[in-house]
Amino acid sequence: MSADTVSGKIASGRAAGQRGRYGDLRIALAFLIPSATGFVVFYLWPTLRGFYLSLTDSTLLGEASFIGFDNFERLANDPLFWNSLRVTMLYVVINIGVQTVVALGMAVLLHRLTTSVAIRGLVLLPYLVANVIVALVWFWVLDYQLGIVNQLIDWLGLGRIPFFGSENWAIPTIALINVWRHMGYTALLIFAGLQMIPKYVYEASAIDGASEWRTFWSVTLPLLRPIMALVLVLTVIGSFQIFDTVAVTTSGGPVNATRVIYFYIFELAFERFDFGYAAAMSVVLFLILGGVAIAQLKMLRAGESDLS
Amino acid sequence: MKTTVRIAAGLVAIPLVVAACGGDDSTAEGSGGQISYWLWDANQLPAYQECAEAFHESGTDVQVTIEQYGWDDYWNQITTGFVGGTAPDVFTNHLARYPQFVAQDQLLALDEYVERDGVDTSIYHEGLTQLWVGQDEQRYGLPKDWDTVAIFYNSEMVDEAGLSPEDMANLEWNPDDGGSYEAAIARLTVDANGVRGDEPGFDSNNVDVYGLGLAGAGEGFGQTEWSMYAFSNGWTHTDENPWGSQFNYDDPAFTEMVDWWRGLIEKGYMPSFAIADAGVSMMESYGAGNYAMVTEGSWNTGAYIELTGVETALAPTPVGPAGERASMFNGLADSIWAGTDNPDGAWEWVRFLASAECQDIVASHAVVFPAIEESTELAEAAFSERGIDVSPFTVHVEEGTTYLAPIADKWAEVTAIMGPTMDSIMSFSADTTALSDANAQVNALFQ
Amino acid sequence: MTVLTGTDRATRANDAEPVTRRQINWGRVAAWTALVVLLIVTIFPFYWMLRTSLSNNRSLAAEAGSFLPADFTLGAFRRVLGLATTQEALAEGGSGASVNFWLYLRNSIIVATVVTVGQVFFCAMAAYSFARLRWPGRDRVFFVFLTALMVPPIFTTLPNFILIRDLGLLNTFAGIVLPTLLMTPFAIFFLRQFFLGLSREIEEAAMIDGAGHVRIFFRLIIPMSSAPITTLAILTYINAWNDYMWPLLVGQDESVRVLTVALGVFRSQTPQGSPDWAGLMAATLIAALPIVVLFAVLGRRVVNSIGFSAGK
């Protein structure tokens, strides 16, 4: 059991016995056939088609003609697009920031405090509920006048908060709702990483007289880096695609405070039939996510040597 | 349309959605055959199921299958259906959507059929049939129902405020001091200390019951939010309707109305935009006793009346400076998808839906007002059997104070501009001067 | 750590105790407090769902501040299970839609099970190929597969729908499961991370014994990876169970309609209307129940093994 097992030997595998120039190519391809089929048919082809449509004035229904990079030019001059990027970034930062800290805390607490499987199962419960339903439940719970949270705030003598109605609160509220749904799930992923840290490391740390707090910072966290990076790749990509919660609660408002990029794309494509433009925006999003993922995968690789 | 609680419908799991597939009937053979029919309002489903039964009994060999989807799913399903070739043969259509569908060649023009079968379009309320004639002078739907706007009020609160139902039925409004309408709203507003809005010492920052509820800023449409004030102030959305191309959002008749309307928020008579927009819906807040009155559409009558814990009564919208009341007049219609493989069967069903036989059935369910004048009377009777006096809705039709819902091409783009603009005005982050800029942007769409 | 299950308790006893025994102190109290607060935050919305599901829609607004159900009724559950008549449903603010609950439950089980079995198996094969086999271009191909994580669904949904239609698979189970049956980038990523860490010695020993890759995969890799495979299976099952848009698109027909789609009727009906709150919450609780049962049955093993683990 060593930490570099997770640390993704992305470029690994050159050490052991090579079998000829093509190695295990034939058997590898055979093993890949089903998933490669799925990949080509259900991901690759639609994506290439989407790239093509981003260069057209497609309305989804009528004939589309090729217009080169016009959509991308329009996009650069569309204040709503830049606004949507800004709002999405804000969402991602709050969502990922809080979620990662809370999940990490939760994982460490679960690891150090209890062996109860029931408690560990409990934290996964929110993940069992579909996104839209989660949004609806919180919409009701956080309602300004009727929501139980505001009733409690009022009862405490504080001022009620228009969670979804205020331009300042809307994005943080939506980000935290999704933290609620995913924190237990993320915590359990991190928890698995914690279990991989060899116990002798902790023993050594204890012998050195390090406090729990210090142990966390100087032992746990560095050793957790590979798995944290992996968790981050997955959660950040998911976070950028925030849509359901916005659609259910604020529909992009108040003003444009929650018009996240995905919601904007959706509106353009299916309410305004501006599909070519929506496709162009999707291409940009795709490229952003690609950049973010590559950066994170680099982090992942960097984590390899911490324990050896 | 309104944002706050257009709950969920099509928005789960994976973003970007779209959807459709009209069941196995989409590949039906001609000659009689299968017809799929969609609607979004579950409350009306029983009525239309009864229509379908009557239709089948009428000796037709067309078999109708009805599907109901929630509002948001509905349009996604229709759009995907258009793209994928699986849209329903016949579906309930909405004014805000149909111009785009026409522009995309997705609707079947009905003129030939109407002419062939000699359908009498004069049996419908005036104006409703005209709404469904496109810019190309072709007809894309036969009217099924109509709606207007009225005041819904908590009769207990009105009583306590010393107002009578007669007072409520005879309110007058103007953009300067709000008239007796604003006086009533002020009277109905109560702060945390029990002081009324028109009494000295009223604390506008600490209000328990708002005289008037707020559903949202109304985007560029304002149907239940502000259209009744604007119309009665001599304003209309566009230079002509249907198919206007010059919008009037910068007209003083509109801006002074908006200034007055949002002034109610400053005075503490109406909840702030942040509160209103944050809510699950205006109806829930009204049901909880936070609002004494609200302006609402006739399609929500049943839902309000049946709320427990509050007694609800109706009053017509206030008389404006022009000396008349006003209400937006909106109507739905049934359209045929251009891609149907059974246009004759689809037409047979549409014609039946638009007939007195079906509309009488719908009337008897007391959910909406059918488009046929005589069926409307049946609906009124059915409502009054449920103990609801719906004359505040019908008065507009009788007195000719209805204003047709604005129909324009590119309505989605108009909404994209006007939605955020009205939001920011109502939340006081912009002034009504922002309307001139917005109006210029809207008009630029039609250049 | 192939098997977290058995060693877990022992591990904890060894690694945690020496550190914590010294300090049964306020830090520990604070830690417990934090955990309890987190658990309350986790659980509370579920209580609120339960409370709402036992309420009468018509009374929810008037009794918004109460922690108890508003005008207690089992009507919402009756609606969800298809036991309520249209009149009963409408009287409590529900819709008149008919619900054939047990059929939809069966359909959901079929879909989620088939997707889970297929996806996990095929992705395990792919992950094996990416993690344990050597062939030119392997890492580049893997990265291309990974980009599928970033593909916006707006690109994939419509073409996939049209493909399924052209294959004549609308309203069939095949149409519903096909796009997720063969692969998801997440599943491959997840299993590959795990396979990378498996001990090479055992594999090489097997190879010396003359075992081929197929044999090694089935007899060695899969058994050694039972923990993460179970984990992935559970996550896949949850996701397949909760999927809404795709089955709504291709599986409207009663005979293949899954629970999430069927229970969509409890959401909004009119543009400005409210959903059937009580029905929606009852539907959500009932739809989540089978998965909770699944957890209870697989219990400890699943929860413990969630995560990408690696071999000893």
Side-chain angles (χ1 to χ4, degrees), chain A residues 153-297:
Chain A
I153 291 176
D154 199 39
W155 180 75
L156 291 171
L158 305 168
R160 291 180 180 238
I161 299 168
F163 287 104
F164 295 98
S166 138
E167 287 177 53
N168 297 326
W169 276 98
I171 277 286
T173 301
I174 290 171
L176 293 179
I177 288 175
N178 286 319
V179 168
W180 179 79
R181 180 165 187 258
H182 294 278
M183 64 186 181
Y185 169 72
T186 312
L188 288 179
L189 293 181
I190 298 173
F191 182 78
L194 288 173
Q195 288 185 312
M196 292 170 34
I197 297 172
K199 54 192 179 233
Y200 67 77
V201 180
Y202 283 104
E203 280 158 12
S205 173
I207 290 164
D208 290 349
S211 71
E212 188 88 357
W213 186 247
R214 203 186 136 75
T215 307
F216 172 77
W217 284 106
S218 55
V219 177
T220 309
L221 209 50
L223 293 181
L224 212 49
R225 204 159 89 203
I227 205 160
M228 288 302 296
L230 202 57
V231 166
L232 280 171
V233 170
L234 294 169
T235 53
V236 167
I237 289 176
S239 189
F240 264 97
Q241 311 202 0
I242 164 74
F243 172 77
D244 299 342
T245 320
V246 168
V248 170
T249 57
T250 59
S251 299
V255 194
N256 286 313
T258 60
R259 200 166 303 273
V260 290
I261 187 159
Y262 234 108
F263 188 76
Y264 190 40
I265 291 175
F266 177 85
E267 281 186 318
L268 286 167
F270 298 110
E271 286 183 15
R272 293 158 70 174
F273 295 97
D274 211 343
F275 200 84
Y277 188 42
M281 217 172 276
S282 308
V283 168
V284 172
L285 179 61
F286 179 83
L287 295 177
I288 292 175
L289 289 180
V292 170
I294 288 172
Q296 290 179 314
L297 285 171

Side-chain angles (χ1 to χ4, degrees), chain A residues 1 5-6 10 12-13 16 24 28 35 111 115 120 127-128 133 136 180 188 192 195-196 212 230 262 282, chain C residues 1 8 12 19 41 48 126 129 134 138-139 150-154 189 193 239 242 280 284 303-304 306 310 312:
Chain A
M1 166 150 63
T5 48
V6 205
I10 280 186
S12 73
D24 307 312
S35 55
H111 186 231
T115 55
R120 278 181 230 161
Y127 192 68
L128 297 186
I133 308 290
L136 283 171
W180 179 79
L188 288 179
Q195 288 185 312
M196 292 170 34
E212 188 88 357
L230 202 57
Y262 234 108
S282 308
Chain C
M1 79 183 173
D8 182 52
R12 171 155 339 329
V19 187
V41 170
W48 208 247
S129 183
R134 291 182 188 82
R138 182 185 73 173
D139 295 328
M150 296 137 214
V151 175
I154 191 179
F189 193 16
Q193 286 312 107
N239 288 329
N242 280 339
L280 192 64
T284 303
V303 175
N304 277 340
I306 286 208
K312 286 207 161 98

Side-chain angles (χ1 to χ4, degrees), chain A residues 51 84 124 287:
Chain A
F51 273 100
S84 74
L124 199 54
L287 295 177

